[in-house]
Amino acid sequence: MSQIELVSEFKCFEGRQAHYKHQSKHLNCSMRFGIFLPPQAEVARVPVLYWLSGLTCTDENFVQKAGAQRMAAELGVAIVTPDTSPRGENVADDPNYDLGQGAGFYLNATQEPWKAHYRMYDYVVEELPELIEAEFKVNKKRSVCGHSMGGMGALVVALRNTHRYQAVSAFSPIVNPTQVPWGDKAFSHYLGDDKSLWRLQDPCELLSWADASQPLPMLIEQGSDDQFLKEQLKTDAIALAAQKKGYPITINYRSGYDHSYFFIASFIDSHLKFHAEHLY
Protein backbone atom coordinates (compact mmCIF):
# COMPACT_ATOMS: atom_id res chain seq x y z
CA MET A 1 0.00 0.00 0.00
CA SER A 2 1.27 3.47 -0.91
CA GLN A 3 2.53 5.66 1.92
CA ILE A 4 1.23 8.80 0.20
CA GLU A 5 -2.15 10.23 -0.79
CA LEU A 6 -2.61 12.34 -3.90
CA VAL A 7 -4.04 15.82 -3.22
CA SER A 8 -3.85 17.37 -6.70
CA GLU A 9 -2.22 16.76 -10.07
CA PHE A 10 -1.77 18.79 -13.26
CA LYS A 11 -0.07 18.18 -16.59
CA CYS A 12 2.75 20.70 -16.98
CA PHE A 13 5.32 20.99 -19.80
CA GLU A 14 4.62 17.37 -20.75
CA GLY A 15 5.44 16.33 -17.18
CA ARG A 16 3.22 16.50 -14.12
CA GLN A 17 3.01 18.73 -11.10
CA ALA A 18 1.43 17.01 -8.11
CA HIS A 19 0.92 17.49 -4.39
CA TYR A 20 0.69 14.66 -1.89
CA LYS A 21 0.18 14.22 1.82
CA HIS A 22 1.50 11.54 4.16
CA GLN A 23 1.94 10.79 7.83
CA SER A 24 5.46 11.76 8.90
CA LYS A 25 7.19 9.53 11.44
CA HIS A 26 9.72 12.22 12.35
CA LEU A 27 7.31 15.13 12.62
CA ASN A 28 4.43 13.18 14.16
CA CYS A 29 1.83 14.83 11.98
CA SER A 30 0.41 14.85 8.47
CA MET A 31 2.69 16.59 5.97
CA ARG A 32 2.31 17.81 2.40
CA PHE A 33 4.88 18.03 -0.36
CA GLY A 34 4.88 18.98 -4.01
CA ILE A 35 6.70 17.13 -6.76
CA PHE A 36 7.28 18.01 -10.40
CA LEU A 37 8.11 14.97 -12.50
CA PRO A 38 9.59 15.86 -15.90
CA PRO A 39 8.52 13.90 -18.99
CA GLN A 40 11.79 11.91 -18.88
CA ALA A 41 10.49 10.20 -15.72
CA GLU A 42 8.04 8.27 -17.92
CA VAL A 43 10.88 6.17 -19.30
CA ALA A 44 13.79 6.42 -16.84
CA ARG A 45 14.66 7.36 -13.28
CA VAL A 46 15.60 11.02 -12.97
CA PRO A 47 17.62 12.99 -10.38
CA VAL A 48 15.93 15.20 -7.80
CA LEU A 49 16.35 18.81 -6.71
CA TYR A 50 14.93 19.48 -3.24
CA TRP A 51 13.67 23.05 -2.80
CA LEU A 52 13.41 24.48 0.72
CA SER A 53 11.17 27.54 1.01
CA GLY A 54 11.42 30.49 3.38
CA LEU A 55 9.47 31.93 6.30
CA THR A 56 5.64 31.80 6.03
CA CYS A 57 5.75 29.63 2.89
CA THR A 58 4.11 26.24 2.30
CA ASP A 59 4.74 23.49 -0.24
CA GLU A 60 2.90 25.59 -2.86
CA ASN A 61 4.70 28.98 -3.07
CA PHE A 62 7.67 27.89 -5.16
CA VAL A 63 5.50 25.67 -7.35
CA GLN A 64 3.17 28.52 -8.26
CA LYS A 65 5.53 31.51 -8.37
CA ALA A 66 9.04 30.47 -9.44
CA GLY A 67 8.29 29.22 -12.96
CA ALA A 68 10.77 26.36 -12.58
CA GLN A 69 8.86 23.58 -14.32
CA ARG A 70 9.67 24.55 -17.92
CA MET A 71 13.45 24.35 -17.44
CA ALA A 72 13.18 21.31 -15.16
CA ALA A 73 11.25 19.52 -17.91
CA GLU A 74 13.92 20.45 -20.46
CA LEU A 75 16.75 19.27 -18.20
CA GLY A 76 15.03 16.12 -16.93
CA VAL A 77 15.18 17.05 -13.23
CA ALA A 78 12.43 16.34 -10.69
CA ILE A 79 11.72 19.04 -8.10
CA VAL A 80 10.44 18.20 -4.61
CA THR A 81 9.01 20.99 -2.46
CA PRO A 82 8.37 20.11 1.21
CA ASP A 83 6.45 22.35 3.58
CA THR A 84 8.44 24.66 5.86
CA SER A 85 7.32 23.14 9.17
CA PRO A 86 5.04 20.60 10.81
CA ARG A 87 1.40 21.72 10.96
CA GLY A 88 -1.84 20.82 12.70
CA GLU A 89 -4.02 21.61 15.71
CA ASN A 90 -1.76 19.68 18.06
CA VAL A 91 1.47 21.18 16.72
CA ALA A 92 3.05 24.00 18.77
CA ASP A 93 2.78 27.44 17.20
CA ASP A 94 3.48 31.11 17.86
CA PRO A 95 1.58 34.23 16.74
CA ASN A 96 4.71 35.70 15.15
CA TYR A 97 5.61 34.81 11.55
CA ASP A 98 9.22 33.90 12.38
CA LEU A 99 8.53 31.16 14.92
CA GLY A 100 6.32 28.09 14.92
CA GLN A 101 4.24 26.86 12.00
CA GLY A 102 5.71 28.16 8.76
CA ALA A 103 9.07 28.72 10.47
CA GLY A 104 10.64 25.33 11.10
CA PHE A 105 14.19 26.50 10.30
CA TYR A 106 15.09 22.98 9.07
CA LEU A 107 16.46 21.90 12.44
CA ASN A 108 15.69 19.30 15.11
CA ALA A 109 14.24 21.10 18.12
CA THR A 110 15.40 20.01 21.58
CA GLN A 111 13.16 22.25 23.71
CA GLU A 112 9.53 22.10 24.80
CA PRO A 113 6.96 22.54 23.36
CA TRP A 114 8.73 22.24 20.01
CA LYS A 115 10.65 18.98 20.18
CA ALA A 116 7.62 16.70 19.75
CA HIS A 117 7.09 17.83 16.15
CA TYR A 118 9.83 20.19 14.98
CA ARG A 119 12.36 17.78 13.47
CA MET A 120 12.60 19.26 9.99
CA TYR A 121 16.29 18.38 9.62
CA ASP A 122 15.61 14.66 9.93
CA TYR A 123 12.55 15.00 7.72
CA VAL A 124 14.37 16.76 4.88
CA VAL A 125 17.62 14.78 5.05
CA GLU A 126 16.28 11.28 5.74
CA GLU A 127 12.54 10.70 5.69
CA LEU A 128 11.42 12.65 2.63
CA PRO A 129 14.16 11.41 0.24
CA GLU A 130 13.51 7.84 1.36
CA LEU A 131 9.81 8.31 0.63
CA ILE A 132 10.37 10.00 -2.73
CA GLU A 133 12.81 7.33 -3.90
CA ALA A 134 10.39 4.57 -2.89
CA GLU A 135 7.28 6.09 -4.46
CA PHE A 136 8.45 7.80 -7.67
CA LYS A 137 10.60 7.09 -10.68
CA VAL A 138 13.68 8.94 -9.43
CA ASN A 139 17.26 7.90 -8.77
CA LYS A 140 19.48 8.60 -5.76
CA LYS A 141 21.24 11.65 -7.19
CA ARG A 142 20.11 14.67 -5.18
CA SER A 143 20.74 18.39 -5.02
CA VAL A 144 19.27 20.98 -2.69
CA CYS A 145 18.34 24.63 -3.11
CA GLY A 146 16.35 27.14 -1.08
CA HIS A 147 15.36 30.71 -0.34
CA SER A 148 15.99 32.81 2.78
CA MET A 149 15.31 30.50 5.78
CA GLY A 150 15.25 27.68 3.21
CA GLY A 151 18.51 28.90 1.71
CA MET A 152 20.04 28.57 5.16
CA GLY A 153 18.48 25.11 5.42
CA ALA A 154 19.86 24.06 2.05
CA LEU A 155 23.39 25.16 2.95
CA VAL A 156 23.21 23.47 6.35
CA VAL A 157 21.92 20.09 5.18
CA ALA A 158 24.38 20.06 2.28
CA LEU A 159 27.45 21.02 4.31
CA ARG A 160 26.55 18.48 7.01
CA ASN A 161 25.84 15.73 4.45
CA THR A 162 28.15 16.30 1.49
CA HIS A 163 27.93 12.60 0.61
CA ARG A 164 24.17 12.89 0.05
CA TYR A 165 24.11 15.83 -2.37
CA GLN A 166 25.71 16.61 -5.72
CA ALA A 167 25.44 20.40 -5.33
CA VAL A 168 23.78 23.16 -3.32
CA SER A 169 22.49 26.61 -4.18
CA ALA A 170 20.56 29.34 -2.41
CA PHE A 171 18.66 32.56 -3.02
CA SER A 172 19.04 35.23 -0.33
CA PRO A 173 20.09 32.76 2.38
CA ILE A 174 20.49 33.51 6.08
CA VAL A 175 24.18 32.63 6.08
CA ASN A 176 25.17 33.49 9.66
CA PRO A 177 22.03 32.87 11.77
CA THR A 178 23.88 32.73 15.09
CA GLN A 179 24.64 36.44 14.59
CA VAL A 180 21.25 37.81 13.43
CA PRO A 181 17.82 38.40 15.03
CA TRP A 182 15.96 35.67 13.09
CA GLY A 183 18.45 33.04 14.16
CA ASP A 184 18.75 34.26 17.72
CA LYS A 185 14.98 34.07 18.21
CA ALA A 186 14.50 30.71 16.52
CA PHE A 187 17.52 28.98 18.04
CA SER A 188 16.88 30.20 21.58
CA HIS A 189 13.35 28.78 21.43
CA TYR A 190 14.02 25.57 19.48
CA LEU A 191 17.51 24.71 20.79
CA GLY A 192 17.81 26.47 24.12
CA ASP A 193 21.09 27.81 25.50
CA ASP A 194 23.44 25.19 24.04
CA LYS A 195 25.38 27.28 21.51
CA SER A 196 27.13 24.18 20.12
CA LEU A 197 23.74 23.20 18.67
CA TRP A 198 23.31 26.68 17.24
CA ARG A 199 26.62 26.44 15.42
CA LEU A 200 25.51 23.22 13.69
CA GLN A 201 22.76 25.30 12.03
CA ASP A 202 25.05 28.11 10.86
CA PRO A 203 26.45 27.86 7.29
CA CYS A 204 29.41 30.11 8.13
CA GLU A 205 30.37 27.93 11.09
CA LEU A 206 29.96 24.74 9.05
CA LEU A 207 32.06 26.16 6.23
CA SER A 208 34.92 26.80 8.66
CA TRP A 209 34.96 23.04 9.39
CA ALA A 210 34.43 21.86 5.81
CA ASP A 211 36.96 19.97 3.72
CA ALA A 212 38.12 22.55 1.18
CA SER A 213 40.03 19.88 -0.75
CA GLN A 214 36.72 18.23 -1.72
CA PRO A 215 34.29 21.14 -1.96
CA LEU A 216 30.62 20.70 -2.76
CA PRO A 217 29.60 22.85 -5.75
CA MET A 218 27.91 25.90 -4.24
CA LEU A 219 26.05 28.83 -5.80
CA ILE A 220 24.46 31.81 -3.99
CA GLU A 221 22.23 34.49 -5.51
CA GLN A 222 21.71 37.76 -3.62
CA GLY A 223 19.79 40.89 -4.59
CA SER A 224 21.39 44.23 -3.75
CA ASP A 225 18.03 45.80 -2.83
CA ASP A 226 16.97 42.97 -0.51
CA GLN A 227 15.35 44.61 2.51
CA PHE A 228 16.77 41.93 4.83
CA LEU A 229 20.34 41.93 3.51
CA LYS A 230 22.10 44.06 6.11
CA GLU A 231 20.34 42.94 9.29
CA GLN A 232 19.36 39.31 8.67
CA LEU A 233 21.17 37.77 5.67
CA LYS A 234 24.72 39.19 5.81
CA THR A 235 25.87 37.50 2.61
CA ASP A 236 29.33 39.03 2.93
CA ALA A 237 29.91 36.86 6.02
CA ILE A 238 29.89 33.63 4.02
CA ALA A 239 32.05 35.19 1.32
CA LEU A 240 34.63 36.01 4.01
CA ALA A 241 34.32 32.55 5.60
CA ALA A 242 34.85 30.89 2.23
CA GLN A 243 37.86 33.09 1.49
CA LYS A 244 39.46 32.26 4.84
CA LYS A 245 38.87 28.54 4.31
CA GLY A 246 39.83 28.51 0.65
CA TYR A 247 36.44 26.99 -0.15
CA PRO A 248 35.16 27.86 -3.63
CA ILE A 249 31.71 29.49 -3.73
CA THR A 250 30.10 31.43 -6.55
CA ILE A 251 28.15 34.41 -5.19
CA ASN A 252 26.19 36.54 -7.63
CA TYR A 253 25.14 39.96 -6.37
CA ARG A 254 22.23 41.14 -8.52
CA SER A 255 21.75 44.89 -8.75
CA GLY A 256 18.25 46.17 -8.00
CA TYR A 257 16.68 42.85 -6.99
CA ASP A 258 14.88 42.32 -3.70
CA HIS A 259 13.82 39.35 -1.54
CA SER A 260 10.71 38.39 -3.51
CA TYR A 261 9.75 35.53 -5.80
CA PHE A 262 10.25 37.93 -8.72
CA PHE A 263 13.96 37.66 -7.89
CA ILE A 264 13.80 33.86 -7.73
CA ALA A 265 11.87 33.64 -11.01
CA SER A 266 14.46 35.84 -12.71
CA PHE A 267 17.37 33.48 -12.00
CA ILE A 268 15.86 30.06 -11.30
CA ASP A 269 16.78 28.76 -14.77
CA SER A 270 20.49 29.34 -14.15
CA HIS A 271 20.25 27.49 -10.84
CA LEU A 272 18.48 24.55 -12.45
CA LYS A 273 21.21 24.38 -15.12
CA PHE A 274 23.86 24.54 -12.39
CA HIS A 275 22.28 21.58 -10.59
CA ALA A 276 21.73 19.59 -13.77
CA GLU A 277 25.46 19.85 -14.56
CA HIS A 278 26.19 18.01 -11.33
CA LEU A 279 23.19 15.66 -11.31
CA TYR A 280 23.95 14.12 -14.72
Side-chain angles (χ1 to χ4, degrees):
M1 183 179 294
S2 176
Q3 303 176 67
I4 59 177
E5 180 183 339
L6 181 65
V7 176
S8 64
E9 184 176 30
F10 305 93
K11 187 170 183 178
C12 184
F13 295 103
E14 301 304 317
R16 63 186 184 99
Q17 175 66 57
H19 288 267
Y20 292 86
K21 63 180 179 180
H22 73 108
Q23 188 65 29
S24 168
K25 61 185 179 183
H26 281 107
L27 304 179
N28 298 309
C29 65
S30 178
M31 288 293 287
R32 281 175 48 118
F33 66 86
I35 183 169
F36 174 72
L37 290 166
Q40 294 87 340
E42 294 293 325
V43 295
R45 292 188 176 273
V46 298
V48 183
L49 173 64
Y50 288 85
W51 170 270
L52 308 183
S53 289
L55 288 168
T56 76
C57 289
T58 69
D59 54 299
E60 294 188 345
N61 297 73
F62 178 82
V63 169
Q64 296 175 355
K65 295 180 178 181
Q69 291 92 340
R70 180 188 62 80
M71 184 56 68
E74 181 178 321
L75 297 170
V77 175
I79 303 177
V80 172
T81 54
D83 202 346
T84 52
S85 77
R87 296 183 192 269
E89 291 183 3
N90 298 320
V91 176
D93 199 9
D94 188 271
N96 294 299
Y97 77 97
D98 53 359
L99 188 68
Q101 295 185 34
F105 276 82
Y106 303 100
L107 51 74
N108 289 339
T110 61
Q111 304 299 301
E112 298 288 359
W114 313 102
K115 67 179 183 179
H117 297 283
Y118 284 75
R119 301 189 63 82
M120 287 297 293
Y121 177 85
D122 283 350
Y123 179 72
V124 167
V125 174
E126 298 176 7
E127 183 176 2
L128 188 58
E130 181 180 320
L131 182 68
I132 297 299
E133 288 160 17
E135 295 282 349
F136 299 99
K137 203 165 186 177
V138 301
N139 59 39
K140 294 184 181 295
K141 287 191 174 181
R142 316 176 193 99
S143 276
V144 61
C145 183
H147 173 232
S148 193
M149 175 186 73
M152 181 207 79
L155 293 170
V156 167
V157 302
L159 285 167
R160 288 174 61 177
N161 301 275
T162 55
H163 61 290
R164 295 182 66 92
Y165 300 100
Q166 307 301 120
V168 58
S169 72
F171 289 81
S172 315
I174 308 168
V175 300
N176 203 186
T178 59
Q179 304 301 315
V180 303
W182 274 340
D184 184 71
K185 181 177 182 178
F187 295 170
S188 61
H189 282 80
Y190 293 141
L191 302 174
D193 297 329
D194 186 349
K195 296 297 178 71
S196 67
L197 296 180
W198 293 33
R199 289 192 287 273
L200 287 174
Q201 302 301 138
D202 188 311
C204 285
E205 293 279 353
L206 294 172
L207 199 62
S208 70
W209 308 328
D211 184 357
S213 67
Q214 295 182 306
L216 190 69
M218 189 179 299
L219 170 64
I220 292 175
E221 215 76 36
Q222 178 61 59
S224 66
D225 286 8
D226 191 316
Q227 63 270 39
F228 301 113
L229 177 56
K230 291 183 179 179
E231 183 180 20
Q232 303 281 14
L233 307 181
K234 297 187 179 295
T235 307
D236 288 349
I238 200 165
L240 180 60
Q243 183 181 33
K244 287 183 177 179
K245 186 67 177 182
Y247 199 104
I249 299 180
T250 298
I251 302 177
N252 297 322
Y253 291 92
R254 303 294 187 178
S255 178
Y257 285 90
D258 62 10
H259 200 71
S260 71
Y261 265 87
F262 294 109
F263 172 50
I264 297 170
S266 298
F267 298 102
I268 190 63
D269 282 4
S270 63
H271 280 244
L272 288 167
K273 291 176 182 177
F274 164 77
H275 286 286
E277 288 177 4
H278 300 287
L279 287 166
Y280 277 98

